[in-house]
Amino acid sequence: MKPRLKFCCALFVACLFTAQAQPLRLVTHHLPPYQIVDGDALSGRTVSIMQCAMTEVGVHYEVDVRPIGRAEKELKEGKFDGLFILNQTAERDDFAKASDPLVVTYRSLFSLQEVEFETNSAEMKAMNIGVLHGSAMHKWMTKHQYTNVQSRYDYHILFELLQLGRLDAVMAPFDTYYVELEHGHITQEIAVKHLREANLSAYFNFNWLEKHPQFLPQFNTALAACR
């Protein structure tokens, strides 16, 4: 059964109502095909994996939806106990602990013409590249001094700009390409360059894990059966 969504304070809130007094407070972000806000329902590949794993470990939970940057900020501030999904980084490891991967994919570069430049070359850094605002890829490009980064809140918009010739390339998880293709949003031939493998995990607040020390090992075990 898909979690139901209700509109509250201009935000979608997904709740699995249970008798538990203090459910695990999770937050996620709209990222097809992994997490999809569709009308009054939250669905997608990782939503199903999380529901399966939580059922296996017997933990009741709630899910709120935020833009990725705000979701990460509020996890860091302790407003949520966990967040899914994120690429594991050293910066995130400072304030939360990553689970085993829910999804293994590629960080890829999409373009209308094949790109032969090396990832961290001056030529690559000078390209006009679109990226999801607030994502690990956005932060990585900023840190490594990519000079023409164009960030947006939706991959659909980024792929539109690419096909209109307003971007040289889009940097995104490989699976997003199939979503755009399936929905008819890609009408031109797209060249794909895999940059590196990406493990996408759930992150959990250190304080919550300290109070529930058996949770993460049990959750990781459940993931193996639920993926």
Side-chain angles (χ1 to χ4, degrees), residues 70 72-80 95 205:
R70 182 175 174 184
E72 187 174 347
K73 178 176 181 290
E74 292 187 349
L75 174 68
K76 189 174 183 179
E77 292 171 347
K79 295 181 179 179
F80 292 99
F95 63 85
N205 183 285

Side-chain angles (χ1 to χ4, degrees), residues 1 69 78 82:
M1 180 176 67

Side-chain angles (χ1 to χ4, degrees), residues 137-209:
M137 286 173 279
H138 186 193
K139 294 177 181 179
W140 182 87
M141 294 171 74
T142 301
K143 179 180 178 180
H144 289 83
Q145 300 178 330
Y146 279 67
T147 56
N148 294 311
V149 177
Q150 302 294 323
S151 67
R152 298 292 188 275
Y153 288 92
D154 194 297
Y155 279 120
H156 172 51
I157 295 173
L158 290 170
F159 277 94
E160 279 190 346
L161 292 174
L162 173 65
Q163 293 175 98
L164 289 170
R166 294 169 60 185
L167 291 174
D168 296 325
V170 171
M171 192 179 290
F174 180 61
D175 295 337
T176 60
Y177 169 77
Y178 287 108
V179 176
E180 298 300 311
L181 193 64
E182 180 182 349
H183 288 84
H185 298 151
I186 292 180
T187 58
Q188 301 181 49
E189 186 172 347
I190 302 290
V192 181
K193 178 183 179 71
H194 291 318
L195 303 178
R196 56 169 293 185
E197 189 173 87
N199 296 328
L200 306 180
S201 302
Y203 264 92
F204 296 96
N205 183 285
F206 286 133
N207 291 334
W208 193 88
L209 289 177

Side-chain angles (χ1 to χ4, degrees), residues 38-161:
D38 183 13
D40 64 347
L42 178 64
S43 62
R45 179 179 174 187
T46 57
V47 174
S48 298
I49 293 172
M50 289 294 291
Q51 185 169 352
C52 173
M54 291 299 176
T55 300
E56 286 291 317
V57 299
V59 171
H60 302 310
Y61 65 103
E62 298 176 349
V63 185
D64 283 50
V65 178
R66 301 282 196 276
I68 184 173
R70 182 175 174 184
E72 187 174 347
K73 178 176 181 290
E74 292 187 349
L75 174 68
K76 189 174 183 179
E77 292 171 347
K79 295 181 179 179
F80 292 99
D81 305 315
L83 190 164
F84 68 98
I85 55 177
L86 291 174
N87 189 55
Q88 187 172 3
T89 66
E91 179 184 2
R92 289 164 175 165
D93 290 342
D94 283 340
F95 63 85
K97 187 171 181 62
S99 71
D100 288 348
L102 278 71
V103 174
V104 178
T105 184
Y106 286 97
R107 179 180 293 177
S108 301
L109 192 75
F110 302 91
S111 56
L112 297 183
Q113 304 293 328
E114 288 193 15
V115 176
E116 302 295 340
F117 306 135
E118 294 297 323
T119 302
N120 217 14
S121 65
E123 293 86 356
M124 178 78 85
K125 290 181 178 182
M127 291 178 64
N128 191 23
I129 301 178
V131 68
L132 187 70
H133 185 84
S135 65
M137 286 173 279
H138 186 193
K139 294 177 181 179
W140 182 87
M141 294 171 74
T142 301
K143 179 180 178 180
H144 289 83
Q145 300 178 330
Y146 279 67
T147 56
N148 294 311
V149 177
Q150 302 294 323
S151 67
R152 298 292 188 275
Y153 288 92
D154 194 297
Y155 279 120
H156 172 51
I157 295 173
L158 290 170
F159 277 94
E160 279 190 346
L161 292 174

